[in-house]
Short mmCIF file of all heavy atoms in Angstrom, two decimals:
data_model
loop_
_atom_site.label_atom_id
_atom_site.label_comp_id
_atom_site.label_asym_id
_atom_site.label_seq_id
_atom_site.Cartn_x
_atom_site.Cartn_y
_atom_site.Cartn_z
N THR A 1 7.57 35.40 160.35
CA THR A 1 8.20 34.79 159.21
C THR A 1 7.13 34.27 158.26
O THR A 1 6.28 33.50 158.66
CB THR A 1 9.11 33.62 159.62
OG1 THR A 1 10.11 34.15 160.52
CG2 THR A 1 9.79 33.01 158.40
N LEU A 2 7.19 34.76 157.04
CA LEU A 2 6.26 34.34 156.02
C LEU A 2 7.00 33.55 154.97
O LEU A 2 8.11 33.92 154.61
CB LEU A 2 5.62 35.58 155.32
CG LEU A 2 4.91 36.58 156.22
CD1 LEU A 2 4.56 37.79 155.39
CD2 LEU A 2 3.65 35.98 156.80
N LEU A 3 6.42 32.50 154.49
CA LEU A 3 7.02 31.78 153.38
C LEU A 3 6.34 32.24 152.11
O LEU A 3 5.12 32.11 151.96
CB LEU A 3 6.87 30.28 153.56
CG LEU A 3 7.86 29.66 154.55
CD1 LEU A 3 7.61 28.13 154.63
CD2 LEU A 3 9.30 29.93 154.18
N VAL A 4 7.13 32.81 151.20
CA VAL A 4 6.58 33.34 149.96
C VAL A 4 6.63 32.26 148.91
O VAL A 4 7.69 31.68 148.62
CB VAL A 4 7.43 34.56 149.51
CG1 VAL A 4 6.89 35.09 148.21
CG2 VAL A 4 7.42 35.62 150.57
N SER A 5 5.50 31.97 148.31
CA SER A 5 5.47 30.97 147.25
C SER A 5 6.12 31.53 145.99
O SER A 5 5.85 32.63 145.56
CB SER A 5 4.03 30.57 146.92
OG SER A 5 3.42 29.97 148.05
N VAL A 6 7.04 30.74 145.42
CA VAL A 6 7.81 31.19 144.27
C VAL A 6 7.49 30.28 143.09
O VAL A 6 7.59 29.08 143.21
CB VAL A 6 9.32 31.19 144.55
CG1 VAL A 6 10.09 31.50 143.30
CG2 VAL A 6 9.66 32.15 145.66
N SER A 7 7.13 30.87 141.98
CA SER A 7 7.03 30.13 140.74
C SER A 7 8.32 30.30 140.00
O SER A 7 8.61 31.37 139.47
CB SER A 7 5.84 30.64 139.89
OG SER A 7 4.64 30.48 140.59
N ALA A 8 9.15 29.29 140.00
CA ALA A 8 10.49 29.41 139.40
C ALA A 8 10.35 29.52 137.87
O ALA A 8 9.54 28.85 137.24
CB ALA A 8 11.31 28.16 139.73
N THR A 9 11.18 30.43 137.29
CA THR A 9 11.22 30.56 135.84
C THR A 9 11.96 29.36 135.28
O THR A 9 12.64 28.62 135.99
CB THR A 9 11.95 31.84 135.45
OG1 THR A 9 13.28 31.79 135.98
CG2 THR A 9 11.23 33.07 135.97
N THR A 10 11.79 29.15 134.00
CA THR A 10 12.45 28.02 133.36
C THR A 10 13.95 28.11 133.54
O THR A 10 14.58 29.12 133.26
CB THR A 10 12.12 28.01 131.85
OG1 THR A 10 10.71 27.95 131.69
CG2 THR A 10 12.77 26.83 131.15
N GLY A 11 14.54 27.04 134.04
CA GLY A 11 15.98 27.03 134.27
C GLY A 11 16.40 27.74 135.51
O GLY A 11 17.58 27.95 135.75
N ASP A 12 15.47 28.17 136.34
CA ASP A 12 15.77 28.90 137.56
C ASP A 12 16.43 27.96 138.57
O ASP A 12 15.86 26.92 138.91
CB ASP A 12 14.49 29.51 138.13
CG ASP A 12 14.76 30.57 139.18
OD1 ASP A 12 15.90 30.64 139.66
OD2 ASP A 12 13.82 31.30 139.52
N CYS A 13 17.62 28.36 139.09
CA CYS A 13 18.27 27.54 140.08
C CYS A 13 17.61 27.66 141.44
O CYS A 13 17.96 26.98 142.36
CB CYS A 13 19.74 27.88 140.16
SG CYS A 13 20.07 29.57 140.70
N PHE A 14 16.67 28.62 141.57
CA PHE A 14 15.99 28.85 142.85
C PHE A 14 14.59 28.29 142.77
O PHE A 14 13.64 28.98 142.43
CB PHE A 14 15.92 30.35 143.13
CG PHE A 14 17.20 30.95 143.63
CD1 PHE A 14 18.41 30.58 143.09
CD2 PHE A 14 17.22 31.90 144.62
CE1 PHE A 14 19.60 31.13 143.53
CE2 PHE A 14 18.37 32.47 145.07
CZ PHE A 14 19.57 32.09 144.52
N ALA A 15 14.44 27.01 143.05
CA ALA A 15 13.11 26.40 143.01
C ALA A 15 12.51 26.35 144.40
O ALA A 15 11.57 25.62 144.65
CB ALA A 15 13.21 25.00 142.44
N THR A 16 13.07 27.15 145.33
CA THR A 16 12.54 27.19 146.67
C THR A 16 12.11 28.62 147.01
O THR A 16 12.33 29.55 146.25
CB THR A 16 13.62 26.73 147.67
OG1 THR A 16 14.81 27.53 147.48
CG2 THR A 16 13.98 25.27 147.46
N SER A 17 11.53 28.77 148.19
CA SER A 17 10.95 30.05 148.57
C SER A 17 11.98 30.92 149.31
O SER A 17 12.92 30.42 149.92
CB SER A 17 9.76 29.81 149.50
OG SER A 17 8.76 29.11 148.86
N TRP A 18 11.78 32.22 149.21
CA TRP A 18 12.47 33.19 150.02
C TRP A 18 11.63 33.44 151.28
O TRP A 18 10.48 33.84 151.19
CB TRP A 18 12.67 34.50 149.28
CG TRP A 18 13.61 34.48 148.13
CD1 TRP A 18 13.51 33.78 146.96
CD2 TRP A 18 14.81 35.25 148.02
NE1 TRP A 18 14.56 34.05 146.14
CE2 TRP A 18 15.39 34.96 146.76
CE3 TRP A 18 15.49 36.15 148.84
CZ2 TRP A 18 16.58 35.52 146.31
CZ3 TRP A 18 16.67 36.73 148.41
CH2 TRP A 18 17.21 36.40 147.17
N ALA A 19 12.18 33.20 152.44
CA ALA A 19 11.46 33.46 153.69
C ALA A 19 11.52 34.96 153.96
O ALA A 19 12.53 35.61 153.85
CB ALA A 19 12.07 32.72 154.84
N CYS A 20 10.35 35.52 154.31
CA CYS A 20 10.25 36.95 154.63
C CYS A 20 10.18 37.14 156.13
O CYS A 20 9.24 36.67 156.80
CB CYS A 20 9.02 37.55 153.96
SG CYS A 20 8.75 39.28 154.36
N HIS A 21 11.17 37.84 156.71
CA HIS A 21 11.23 38.10 158.12
C HIS A 21 10.82 39.53 158.40
O HIS A 21 11.48 40.46 157.91
CB HIS A 21 12.64 37.84 158.68
CG HIS A 21 13.15 36.46 158.40
ND1 HIS A 21 12.83 35.35 159.17
CD2 HIS A 21 13.97 36.00 157.44
CE1 HIS A 21 13.44 34.29 158.69
NE2 HIS A 21 14.13 34.67 157.64
N VAL A 22 9.75 39.72 159.13
CA VAL A 22 9.28 41.08 159.43
C VAL A 22 9.93 41.56 160.72
O VAL A 22 9.67 41.06 161.81
CB VAL A 22 7.74 41.10 159.56
CG1 VAL A 22 7.26 42.50 159.87
CG2 VAL A 22 7.10 40.61 158.27
N ILE A 23 10.81 42.54 160.59
CA ILE A 23 11.51 43.08 161.74
C ILE A 23 10.60 43.94 162.60
O ILE A 23 10.64 43.91 163.81
CB ILE A 23 12.76 43.88 161.28
CG1 ILE A 23 13.74 42.94 160.60
CG2 ILE A 23 13.39 44.62 162.44
CD1 ILE A 23 14.91 43.65 159.92
N ASP A 24 9.75 44.76 161.93
CA ASP A 24 8.84 45.63 162.66
C ASP A 24 7.65 45.96 161.76
O ASP A 24 7.85 46.49 160.66
CB ASP A 24 9.56 46.92 163.07
CG ASP A 24 8.66 47.85 163.89
OD1 ASP A 24 7.58 47.44 164.31
OD2 ASP A 24 9.06 49.02 164.09
N ASP A 25 6.47 45.71 162.23
CA ASP A 25 5.26 46.12 161.52
C ASP A 25 4.29 46.84 162.46
O ASP A 25 3.08 46.85 162.24
CB ASP A 25 4.58 44.91 160.86
CG ASP A 25 4.06 43.90 161.90
OD1 ASP A 25 4.35 44.04 163.09
OD2 ASP A 25 3.38 42.91 161.46
#
């Protein structure tokens, strides 16, 4: 699980990160 840093755009309701889950690498 990686936490992706997100720079929210102006007015973006998503000021948090999307977690990336690697099923198979």
